[in-house]
């Protein structure tokens, strides 16, 4: 995979056995968000994160991800948060409102708490495009979100 986070893949420069991660998962399109979760969870485990140091928090939809992320980030012991969701475009402008709000909300949590909070949210035109990015031919964006927060912890 191209880009800076490819350097994390399977190997981190810092010790991760004492780091704690929260994964916030939207229940909408749960077939896809479940696959993103598996990708993120397995990536963290492969990097040496302890099972008991990975907390899963489910929220109803992607719109609720920023608040779920905030609840996790405000816990002192949590080092980084990974937000996972899937918004598929329908026939109305709803998609645009949700995507905008989620992206901005997650960015605010990053800056408010000074902790990495990854935007692992698929925003696709079709379910097929989402499947391709959730363990399909275009990889797993949950896995990439996990590498991203690890990379950010390394940069600190
Ligand atoms: C309402 C809604 C719709 C239409 N589509 C999606 C979607 O594709 N992906 C997603 O994660 N959530 C969707 N939601 C639910 C909203 O995120 C949110 O849960 C509700 O608007 C209630 O706040």
């Amino acid at each position: 995979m191209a880009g800076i986070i490819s350097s994390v893949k399977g190997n981190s420069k810092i010790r991760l056995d004492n780091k704690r991660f929260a994964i916030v998962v939207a229940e909408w399109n749960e077939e896809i968000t479940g696959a993103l979760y598996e990708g993120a969870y397995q990536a963290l485990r492969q990097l040496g994160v302890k099972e008991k140091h990975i907390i899963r928090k489910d929220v109803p939809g992607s719109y609720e991800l920023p608040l779920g992320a905030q609840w996790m980030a405000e816990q002192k012991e949590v080092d980084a948060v990974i937000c996972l969701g899937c918004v598929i475009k329908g026939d109305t402008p709803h998609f645009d409102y949700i995507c905008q709000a989620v992206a901005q909300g997650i960015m605010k949590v990053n800056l408010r708490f000074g902790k990495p909070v990854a935007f692992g949210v698929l925003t696709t035109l079709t379910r097929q495009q989402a499947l391709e990015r959730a363990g399909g031919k275009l990889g797993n964006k949950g896995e990439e979100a996990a590498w991203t927060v690890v990379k950010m912890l390394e940069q600190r």
Side-chain angles (χ1 to χ4, degrees):
M1 191 193 69
I4 194 169
I5 61 174
S6 60
S7 60
V8 174
K9 202 171 179 173
N11 209 342
S12 173
K13 288 185 201 151
I14 56 167
R15 283 189 58 174
L16 294 174
D17 57 349
N18 57 354
K19 300 279 186 222
R20 287 175 166 78
F21 296 81
I23 306 180
V24 189
V25 187
E27 287 169 349
W28 260 80
N29 299 313
E30 68 179 349
E31 173 197 1
I32 288 154
T33 60
L36 295 175
Y37 174 79
E38 270 312 303
Y41 179 85
Q42 294 305 336
L44 293 177
R45 293 287 288 135
Q46 276 168 23
L47 286 164
V49 179
K50 291 187 176 152
E51 192 180 350
K52 66 179 181 186
H53 289 171
I54 303 174
I55 308 161
R56 176 173 174 154
K57 179 80 186 160
D58 289 330
V59 294
S62 293
Y63 188 80
E64 283 73 38
L65 285 170
L67 181 56
Q70 178 165 313
W71 288 337
M72 293 295 104
E74 64 196 10
Q75 294 185 28
K76 249 196 189 151
E77 63 277 12
V78 170
D79 296 289
V81 182
I82 298 161
C83 295
L84 302 175
C86 171
V87 194
I88 300 175
K89 193 164 168 55
D91 295 332
T92 71
H94 196 257
F95 174 87
D96 305 299
Y97 288 108
I98 294 190
C99 296
Q100 272 294 329
V102 178
Q104 301 223 349
I106 290 175
M107 174 53 75
K108 281 185 186 159
V109 183
N110 272 274
L111 300 179
R112 177 166 175 202
F113 293 93
K115 295 178 181 182
V117 183
F119 179 75
V121 182
L122 298 177
T123 58
T124 62
L125 302 179
T126 64
R127 184 172 165 276
Q128 183 58 30
Q129 288 178 338
L131 287 168
E132 287 168 2
R133 291 159 177 80
K137 69 177 182 192
L138 296 176
N140 188 312
K141 301 296 169 192
E143 188 178 52
E144 291 176 21
W147 291 334
T148 302
V149 291
V150 169
K151 187 78 195 177
M152 287 300 285
L153 292 174
E154 288 178 354
Q155 305 291 332
R156 260 218 105 158

